[in-house]
Amino acid sequence: MKNLPKNKVVLIGGNHHNGLNLARIFGEYGIRPYGIIIKDRQKCYTAKSRYWEKTWVVENEDAALKVLLAEFPDEACKTVVIPWSDGAAAKIDQNLDLLKQRYVTQSIAGKTGAICKLMNKMEQVDFANKNELPVAKTWIYDFEQQLLPDDLCFPCILKPVTSFEGDKKDIRKCDDIDSINECIKMLREKGYKSILIQEFLRIDYEFLIFGCCGFDEAYIIKKNLRIWEGTASYGQIINIPQINRMGLRILQILEQIGYNGLFDIEMFMVKNKIYLNEINWRNSGADFMCLGTGVLYPVIWYLSAVGWDSSSIPHFSSDENQYQMDEATDLRHVFFGELTFKQWNKERKKTQSFSLSRKGDNRPKRIRYRKLIIEMIKRIVKKNTH
């Protein structure tokens, strides 16, 4: 048995494999986490992992905060809180002064609202420019304005201004003024008050830097090999000096502003030039790659946060033979795309990290695969009736 801290850990976020694999990462290390799961109408597969000590399933972030304020009142050691969704990260940051007496959680220099400010994508553009990190040309457009920016370039991307108030499904590519006006009308009807307009970059590939910093640094860099409707479904560790240097530089910048927590940074390679796309101030949806690489950065951050040594855990991986797959999402390339099952299965066999499959903890996987089968049937029926 490991000698482990007495501090409890609470994980908070939506019904997503992000939280499922956080539970596995801690559980397999020997720490049974508590989970506050913000559930939509889907069956709550995240709560079905065998590694949870206890879970609460709640309807929104306000209800999640109430659970935090009601539970763990008399702990001898502070409880550590880790968010895995943007909404949960924002709610914690907005209530930092309420929580920090009893909990250890992420922050920027311990200031309430500082993370929320940098969740605003225009603020991130200013942050990137200030720190000489290349970003696409960006404008913010308030729907009350009459005229679009004069220097707009095409094609461009329309996206929500903040990650916790919008939906990735509402991101749109526009090729001309008419398509922008049409998208703005649609987004206005959905309740948006403003939108971010960003230059469309013809990227060579997208890569992700994710991990933790503050108490200790640990991170993974992976290239997205396949994406399905905006979601990365298959990826690989990359070890490219130019990208590794950029990763270290960004870590230094985050630490300079006093960021202490987990992060997920989306970046693009465009003609041998690196562009920052977005910083997510929470645990990464690619966290299941921890299980294949052994870089257990959430555990590293937890141990370091409570003053324990984490040096026995790998803090980085340069092994380009490490692959990761979000199976239920990636299978859509077979059923609805152009990938053959033979090729998919060949790549599955060389993959070490899966978002759903985990020996001894496959109940969540069965629930997700049932959902995929239902989706397949619906698509086939729809196709045959048109």
Side-chain angles (χ1 to χ4, degrees):
M1 289 289 291
K2 294 188 185 82
N3 184 22
L4 296 169
K6 295 181 179 179
N7 306 70
K8 293 175 179 175
V9 59
V10 181
L11 313 173
I12 307 179
N15 187 29
H16 190 269
H17 68 248
N18 189 327
L20 167 64
N21 287 291
L22 265 180
R24 289 169 170 172
I25 290 163
F26 277 98
E28 291 187 13
Y29 190 76
I31 300 166
R32 294 183 65 84
Y34 295 78
I36 305 176
I37 302 166
I38 301 156
K39 178 185 175 298
D40 56 19
R41 293 180 183 178
Q42 302 174 40
K43 191 168 183 179
C44 193
Y45 76 95
T46 306
K48 303 303 180 183
S49 172
R50 72 183 183 88
Y51 289 110
W52 295 111
E53 179 67 26
K54 181 180 179 179
T55 59
W56 295 264
V57 179
V58 299
E59 61 184 4
N60 54 39
E61 285 79 10
D62 287 330
L65 178 64
K66 287 180 182 178
V67 173
L68 269 185
L69 294 174
E71 300 294 330
F72 315 106
D74 302 311
E75 298 295 321
C77 304
K78 280 189 175 184
T79 298
V80 177
V81 178
I82 296 175
W84 76 72
S85 66
D86 294 316
K91 184 59 65 175
I92 290 168
D93 190 56
Q94 290 161 348
N95 293 277
L96 197 59
D97 288 337
L98 271 177
L99 297 171
K100 62 186 179 185
Q101 298 305 315
R102 287 165 43 201
Y103 294 100
V104 178
T105 191
Q106 62 181 43
S107 74
I108 295 177
K111 297 176 183 176
T112 296
I115 289 175
C116 283
K117 182 180 178 182
L118 278 174
M119 283 182 166
N120 180 294
K121 292 184 176 65
M122 199 67 212
E123 290 282 350
Q124 284 196 23
V125 169
D126 293 340
F127 174 75
N129 288 331
K130 180 181 176 182
N131 288 284
E132 298 180 341
L133 297 170
V135 288
K137 293 178 183 176
T138 307
W139 304 262
I140 190 165
Y141 179 71
D142 191 304
F143 287 175
E144 298 305 314
Q145 293 173 229
Q146 298 299 312
L147 299 174
L148 288 161
D150 292 334
D151 56 344
L152 211 57
C153 60
F154 293 99
C156 59
I157 297 287
L158 271 61
K159 60 173 70 172
V161 177
T162 60
S163 52
F164 64 93
E165 290 181 338
D167 191 327
K168 279 192 173 184
K169 293 177 182 176
D170 292 330
I171 296 174
R172 294 290 187 276
K173 177 174 177 267
C174 298
D175 295 311
D176 51 38
I177 288 289
D178 289 341
S179 60
I180 279 189
N181 288 329
E182 190 176 317
C183 284
I184 286 174
K185 181 182 177 183
M186 179 272 294
L187 293 166
R188 188 195 297 270
E189 289 171 355
K190 284 194 166 193
Y192 286 89
K193 304 297 182 187
S194 60
I195 200 75
L196 205 76
I197 304 175
Q198 201 162 53
E199 170 192 12
F200 177 77
L201 297 174
R202 301 185 188 280
I203 68 172
D204 298 320
Y205 58 86
E206 180 179 339
F207 64 95
L208 195 67
I209 303 173
F210 57 103
C212 66
C213 67
F215 297 122
D216 199 356
E217 296 176 0
Y219 61 102
I220 297 170
I221 303 176
K222 67 107 174 176
K223 177 181 178 180
N224 293 335
L225 300 178
R226 274 197 296 271
I227 294 173
W228 181 262
E229 295 182 349
T231 300
S233 60
Y234 182 54
Q236 173 189 15
I237 289 276
I238 50 174
N239 184 26
I240 299 172
Q242 179 191 9
I243 290 175
N244 293 345
R245 288 193 297 270
M246 178 60 78
L248 288 172
R249 186 175 165 212
I250 290 176
L251 275 173
Q252 290 169 355
I253 292 167
L254 294 183
E255 294 193 341
Q256 283 168 7
I257 65 169
Y259 181 62
N260 197 333
L262 278 57
F263 60 82
D264 169 283
I265 302 170
E266 300 170 11
M267 307 198 78
F268 299 141
M269 182 66 79
V270 182
K271 295 180 180 178
N272 208 38
K273 183 177 180 180
I274 297 172
Y275 284 81
L276 173 69
N277 181 42
E278 183 176 6
I279 303 174
N280 296 301
W281 308 88
R282 40 95 178 146
N283 185 52
S284 174
D287 61 353
F288 55 97
M289 207 166 198
C290 296
L291 297 168
T293 62
V295 182
L296 309 179
Y297 68 81
V299 173
I300 289 170
W301 190 77
Y302 161 83
L303 291 174
S304 302
V306 300
W308 280 56
D309 179 38
S310 62
S311 59
S312 62
I313 305 173
H315 282 48
F316 180 72
S317 175
S318 58
D319 182 2
E320 293 184 301
N321 292 313
Q322 284 283 333
Y323 292 84
Q324 52 91 224
M325 181 182 285
D326 177 0
E327 315 98 292
T329 301
D330 202 51
L331 265 171
R332 285 163 168 80
H333 288 281
V334 176
F335 295 122
F336 312 124
E338 298 179 356
L339 186 67
T340 66
F341 182 79
K342 182 179 180 181
Q343 180 62 32
W344 181 84
N345 197 42
K346 180 181 177 182
E347 291 167 347
R348 181 191 63 82
K349 287 179 178 178
K350 70 177 182 181
T351 298
Q352 300 85 3
S353 302
F354 295 94
S355 71
L356 296 174
S357 303
R358 193 68 183 169
K359 187 177 180 180
D361 193 37
N362 274 325
R363 193 177 174 198
K365 171 186 170 180
R366 290 194 291 272
I367 295 170
R368 286 293 286 161
Y369 271 84
R370 282 198 291 269
K371 181 178 181 293
L372 176 61
I373 291 168
I374 292 168
E375 181 184 334
M376 286 169 52
I377 293 169
K378 285 180 178 178
R379 286 203 184 197
I380 292 168
V381 170
K382 185 177 179 181
K383 183 178 179 181
N384 291 338
T385 53
H386 283 79

